[in-house]
Amino acid sequence: MTAPVLSVQDIVKVYGQGDAEVRALRGISLTVERGDYVAIMGASGSGKSTLMNILGCLDVPSSGRYLIDGTDVGALDEHQLAVLRNRKIGFVFQSFNLIPRMSALANVELPMAYGGVGAAERRARALAALEQVGLTDRIHHEPNELSGGQQQRVAVARALVTSPALLLADEPTGNLDTKSTGDVLAILDELSGSGRTIVIITHEDDVATHAKRVIRLVDGRIVEDRRQAPADGLPPRMLEVTS
């Protein structure tokens, strides 16, 4: 039996001590199976950014257990965590996080360079990823020569190029205009249709409608976990909330 891409078990995250203690997450449990497309929603202070950082192995929980693609993250040292992030997780950030004065092609090649992939294979895979996001005519352009939407599509290509188990997107359309938002969401829809596992952090209902499943956080707890209404208009199937 294939392990879930994500398995989060009773995750708690506490910042500070004593009177300054803040409980950002209060016992989060969820499972994301391969091929799912999940939107995690919540207002500022709900814990969604903290959860994103833990799912991306950028932070560690105060207690609880987190497995990605069957690997227990809590058992890894810093080097092993860095390798896991590089191989298992493709990140897409609101601010694009592209390297200035490097071409789109070089930006997409970067995670493979860190992963020790040879130059010829890096180039071939980066070109294929840029083609997938519709940017074959922009491969030699630097970030400042690209629109916001094009920069985010480069970031999506960079996230895909290592064939990660999880595509983790943090407010990926937050800095984009309406047309660019539609372009990026169309790419995510296509990736989901091809079987990619996607978790998107968003506060925008219009973005969340593209996901197959919506999880809503309030004060560090899951208060809603539901599947989207199918195309035939049947009501959404409610899922049991385990936290």
Side-chain angles (χ1 to χ4, degrees), residues 10 40 50 54 95 162 175 179 223:
D10 200 24
I40 296 177
T50 300
I54 290 173
S95 56
T162 56
N175 285 340
K179 182 186 182 306
V223 297

Short mmCIF file of all heavy atoms in Angstrom, two decimals, residues 10 40 50 54 95 162 175 179 223:
data_model
loop_
_atom_site.label_atom_id
_atom_site.label_comp_id
_atom_site.label_asym_id
_atom_site.label_seq_id
_atom_site.Cartn_x
_atom_site.Cartn_y
_atom_site.Cartn_z
N ASP A 10 -1.60 15.14 15.17
CA ASP A 10 -1.68 15.89 16.42
C ASP A 10 -0.54 16.89 16.58
O ASP A 10 0.14 16.95 17.61
CB ASP A 10 -1.71 14.93 17.61
CG ASP A 10 -2.28 15.59 18.86
OD1 ASP A 10 -3.04 16.57 18.72
OD2 ASP A 10 -1.95 15.14 19.97
N ILE A 40 -5.64 25.18 1.85
CA ILE A 40 -5.69 25.44 3.29
C ILE A 40 -5.97 26.93 3.46
O ILE A 40 -5.20 27.78 2.99
CB ILE A 40 -4.38 25.04 3.98
CG1 ILE A 40 -4.18 23.52 3.86
CG2 ILE A 40 -4.41 25.45 5.46
CD1 ILE A 40 -2.89 23.01 4.45
N THR A 50 2.03 29.02 9.76
CA THR A 50 2.80 28.11 10.61
C THR A 50 2.69 26.69 10.09
O THR A 50 3.70 25.97 9.99
CB THR A 50 2.29 28.18 12.06
OG1 THR A 50 2.43 29.52 12.54
CG2 THR A 50 3.06 27.23 12.95
N ILE A 54 5.67 24.13 8.53
CA ILE A 54 5.92 22.77 9.02
C ILE A 54 5.79 21.77 7.89
O ILE A 54 6.63 20.87 7.72
CB ILE A 54 4.98 22.44 10.20
CG1 ILE A 54 5.39 23.26 11.43
CG2 ILE A 54 4.99 20.95 10.51
CD1 ILE A 54 4.44 23.16 12.60
N SER A 95 6.09 35.74 -3.41
CA SER A 95 7.07 36.72 -3.91
C SER A 95 8.00 36.14 -4.97
O SER A 95 9.03 36.74 -5.28
CB SER A 95 7.88 37.27 -2.74
OG SER A 95 8.50 36.22 -2.03
N THR A 162 12.16 18.88 -10.11
CA THR A 162 12.72 17.74 -9.39
C THR A 162 11.72 16.60 -9.23
O THR A 162 12.00 15.63 -8.53
CB THR A 162 13.20 18.17 -7.99
OG1 THR A 162 12.10 18.78 -7.28
CG2 THR A 162 14.34 19.17 -8.07
N ASN A 175 0.36 38.30 -5.54
CA ASN A 175 0.95 39.49 -6.15
C ASN A 175 0.59 39.64 -7.62
O ASN A 175 1.25 40.40 -8.34
CB ASN A 175 2.49 39.44 -6.03
CG ASN A 175 2.96 39.73 -4.62
OD1 ASN A 175 2.24 40.31 -3.82
ND2 ASN A 175 4.17 39.30 -4.30
N LYS A 179 -5.61 38.47 -14.84
CA LYS A 179 -5.25 37.59 -15.95
C LYS A 179 -4.13 36.63 -15.56
O LYS A 179 -4.20 35.43 -15.82
CB LYS A 179 -4.83 38.38 -17.19
CG LYS A 179 -4.52 37.47 -18.38
CD LYS A 179 -3.96 38.21 -19.57
CE LYS A 179 -3.71 37.26 -20.74
NZ LYS A 179 -2.84 36.11 -20.36
N VAL A 223 -11.39 23.63 11.50
CA VAL A 223 -12.81 23.74 11.78
C VAL A 223 -13.65 23.25 10.61
O VAL A 223 -14.87 23.07 10.74
CB VAL A 223 -13.21 25.20 12.12
CG1 VAL A 223 -12.50 25.66 13.39
CG2 VAL A 223 -12.92 26.15 10.96
#
